[in-house]
Amino acid sequence: MRRTAGLLLTLPLLLAVACSSSTKAAGPATPSASSAAPTVPTPVNEASPMPTLSGGGFGSKATITIPEGQPSGQFVVNTVSEGDRAAVNKGDWVTVNYTAKDWSTGKDLPSSYDAGGKPQLYQAGSGQLVPAFDQSVIGKKAGSRLLVVAPPAAAFADKGSSQLGVGGGDTVVFVLDIMDSLPQDATLTGAMTQPPANLPQVKDNGKAPATITVPAGQAAPIDLQQAVLIKGDGKQVKTGQTLVVQYTGVLWSNGQQFDASWTHGGALAVQVGTGSVIEGWDKGLVGQTIGSRVELVVPPALGYKDQPAGSVPANSTLVFVIDILEAV
């Protein structure tokens, strides 16, 4: 997790691995700093013996059949079916559905297709996840289904995962469906309407922070103000979802920019509706639609209140322009 001008940016991970007892992340994360990560073997396309798949194709839960014999020990990334969209680059935000099975025990592991499951959203090649997720998708096209045989060095190492019931040293088989991919410089396009005249006006600068002009002489509103500048046609954002966003933030008092996703390398992930971000974001983004650009004017009570945060003075009214690129 990281803090950006007080916005707590969290990436919820769905499967846990080798984390210290104080770590709350639950996902295919890398081993904790106290344990050295094993050297990951170079991926190959196929090795003998290989698991086989049945059941539905891309976008549905796979049935994985483990062959007789011991795994080869190689890190296998096999393209079962290739998508027709852009290839995933390092740093892209990817949304992946998955099915998993422990080769060593034959046990089916939790799947994003199970009841209550959800896709995994993460940055490819970021090192946040085990290599079976982190590295396998790089260079593969969105819309592809991958069969991944992950030896311990590419999965849960020698510690295993108590949450999943994966033993130390187990080989794990994953079927990864790359549902979507977004580069870090992704942004919304299309006709943009301006908010009402009593709210800050916005100039779209493409792949750079928006220019936000606060109305001169206008007193800051005391309540949260929302204006949809581009109306997306995606589903409504729900409490607890993780969004991929681009944003710019300025102070109402002087129009000075105090933060922007572009200054951190581009699109970032935030969880909304759970208190992980300022209350103005929780209230202002839940219920919006994916693909929307939204202006939020956040009064101090829904921002940082009487606490200064970086270059934000205490009791500041904040203005944000936020592109909602994705939600899981």
Side-chain angles (χ1 to χ4, degrees):
M1 66 181 68
R2 59 190 288 192
R3 281 189 180 271
T4 305
L7 290 174
L8 182 61
L9 306 180
T10 62
L11 179 63
L13 307 175
L14 305 180
L15 310 170
V17 57
C19 295
S20 66
S21 60
S22 62
T23 301
K24 295 183 179 180
T30 55
S32 62
S34 60
S35 61
T39 301
V40 180
T42 301
V44 298
N45 182 62
E46 195 166 351
S48 183
M50 281 285 289
T52 57
L53 304 181
S54 57
F58 177 86
S60 61
K61 186 174 182 178
T63 299
I64 303 170
T65 301
I66 302 297
E68 294 184 1
Q70 296 299 311
S72 66
Q74 293 182 286
F75 181 17
V76 180
V77 181
N78 177 271
T79 301
V80 177
S81 60
E82 186 173 47
D84 58 2
R85 287 174 276 159
V88 176
N89 294 310
K90 184 177 180 180
D92 286 357
W93 287 100
V94 290
T95 304
V96 173
N97 272 311
Y98 59 92
T99 311
K101 193 162 192 169
D102 189 321
W103 183 308
S104 304
T105 64
K107 175 184 175 182
D108 288 325
L109 303 178
S111 159
S112 64
Y113 292 110
D114 295 339
K118 61 187 297 188
Q120 180 74 64
L121 172 67
Y122 62 100
Q123 273 187 291
S126 64
Q128 294 172 309
L129 307 186
V130 295
F133 278 70
D134 188 56
Q135 298 179 18
S136 294
V137 298
I138 296 176
K140 307 299 183 182
K141 293 181 179 180
S144 296
R145 165 163 282 194
L146 310 178
L147 171 61
V148 179
V149 181
F156 300 100
D158 59 355
K159 289 190 174 183
S161 170
S162 59
Q163 285 187 329
L164 297 179
V166 176
D170 284 2
T171 292
V172 181
V173 181
F174 295 99
V175 177
L176 307 182
D177 291 340
I178 307 174
M179 308 306 294
D180 202 2
S181 175
L182 287 168
Q184 285 186 281
D185 65 353
T187 187
L188 297 179
T189 58
M192 185 181 77
T193 60
Q194 289 294 330
N198 64 327
L199 295 180
Q201 303 298 287
V202 179
K203 179 177 179 291
D204 182 2
N205 292 320
K207 298 181 185 297
T211 300
I212 303 173
T213 304
V214 178
Q218 180 79 34
I222 60 174
D223 298 316
L224 177 68
Q225 302 295 309
Q226 307 173 53
V228 177
L229 312 183
I230 297 175
K231 177 65 174 178
D233 58 5
K235 295 181 179 180
Q236 280 192 329
V237 173
K238 297 179 180 179
T239 295
Q241 284 193 302
T242 298
L243 313 184
V244 178
V245 298
Q246 299 281 16
Y247 69 91
T248 305
V250 304
L251 300 173
W252 180 285
S253 59
N254 58 14
Q256 180 181 346
Q257 179 183 307
F258 65 88
D259 194 21
S261 56
W262 302 100
T263 65
H264 308 291
L268 297 168
V270 297
Q271 190 179 69
V272 293
T274 61
S276 295
V277 290
I278 59 173
E279 192 175 355
W281 277 44
D282 279 342
K283 291 181 177 294
L285 296 182
V286 172
Q288 302 290 351
T289 54
I290 301 170
S292 292
R293 173 173 293 162
V294 182
E295 179 179 82
L296 299 179
V297 180
V298 180
L302 300 180
Y304 304 119
K305 302 179 173 58
D306 59 357
Q307 299 297 314
S311 59
V312 178
N315 298 307
S316 290
T317 296
L318 312 175
V319 184
F320 293 97
V321 172
I322 305 163
D323 285 2
I324 306 172
L325 303 174
E326 181 62 283
V328 298

